[in-house]
Amino acid sequence: ATAKKDGLFVALAAEIADKGKTKANNRAGALAALRHIILKNAASFEPYVAPMLPSFIECAADKAKPVSFEADATAKALINNLSPHGVDFVLPFVLAEADGKWQSNLLRAELLSLLAKDFPAQMNLRLNDIVPVLSSLMWDTKLQVKEAATAAMTEGALVLLCPHLQRPLDLKCFTSVRVSPL
């Protein structure tokens, strides 16, 4: 059964990796299949699907809208169904700036928000890694990315876990060089 699982996930990963213009439907289909696998039984398939998260983040910026939609939904399904043990595995993928495209950055900020809401204790241990990434995303040129990064800082429990950032003025320090909490 494991060999069959391995073959299935290798085939799906190969479809996602094929960036040909004519292969957009195949990529969207592979992402949709992975999302349904995650939603059906995430715990069993987490070791197979979690390593594919960088591909999901990259596909969020795909020119083909069905692919970007499925990539977004699949990445969020993975994070929403992640076990606490998987947080340390996926967090470096979310923190890494892949291609710098705004759609990928938007998804990264949204995933950080989901992780912070679902796993506050694990995320609190990694604030030193997370806050610099979110603060740089708060300076992104795209408004949607700025808003998602700010939401991740405020709503995502990162602010609550870091007592010296609890006042609203403090968050403005990340977006304006003129504001200082001191």
Side-chain angles (χ1 to χ4, degrees):
T2 303
K4 288 182 183 179
K5 285 182 191 175
D6 287 343
L8 170 69
F9 290 105
V10 168
L12 291 172
E15 288 296 333
I16 293 170
D18 189 352
K19 302 297 181 194
K21 288 183 180 182
T22 60
K23 300 289 187 168
N25 286 338
N26 293 6
R27 286 193 305 276
L31 288 163
L34 286 168
R35 180 169 45 91
H36 288 289
I37 288 170
I38 292 166
L39 294 174
K40 190 77 172 165
N41 195 355
S44 299
F45 297 108
E46 185 176 303
Y48 299 97
V49 180
M52 296 183 196
L53 184 59
S55 297
F56 304 161
I57 294 171
E58 180 184 347
C59 284
D62 199 292
K63 298 268 187 223
K65 289 299 170 199
V67 176
S68 63
F69 173 81
E70 287 298 337
D72 185 82
T74 304
K76 289 176 181 174
L78 174 62
I79 298 302
N80 284 328
N81 292 287
L82 194 66
S83 71
H85 303 292
V87 174
D88 281 338
F89 183 77
V90 300
L91 193 58
F93 299 141
V94 178
L95 295 176
E97 184 175 357
D99 53 11
K101 295 183 179 173
W102 74 268
Q103 298 95 334
S104 297
N105 287 338
L106 175 63
L107 180 58
R108 290 172 53 225
E110 291 171 346
L111 295 179
L112 284 169
S113 184
L114 290 173
L115 283 167
K117 288 177 186 174
D118 293 342
F119 307 102
Q122 290 94 326
M123 296 297 278
N124 191 30
L125 295 173
R126 301 291 299 272
L127 280 178
N128 289 339
D129 299 326
I130 296 166
V131 171
V133 171
L134 282 175
S135 63
S136 71
L137 290 176
M138 291 171 80
W139 281 87
D140 198 277
T141 56
K142 205 66 163 164
L143 181 61
Q144 295 98 320
V145 177
K146 287 181 183 184
E147 290 173 350
T150 303
M153 282 282 223
T154 55
E155 299 167 14
L158 292 176
V159 177
L160 300 174
L161 296 172
C162 194
H164 63 281
L165 295 177
Q166 285 184 346
R167 294 176 297 159
L169 174 65
D170 291 342
L171 287 178
K172 291 179 185 174
C173 295
F174 290 108
T175 58
S176 175
V177 292
R178 294 183 180 171
V179 178
S180 175
L182 302 175

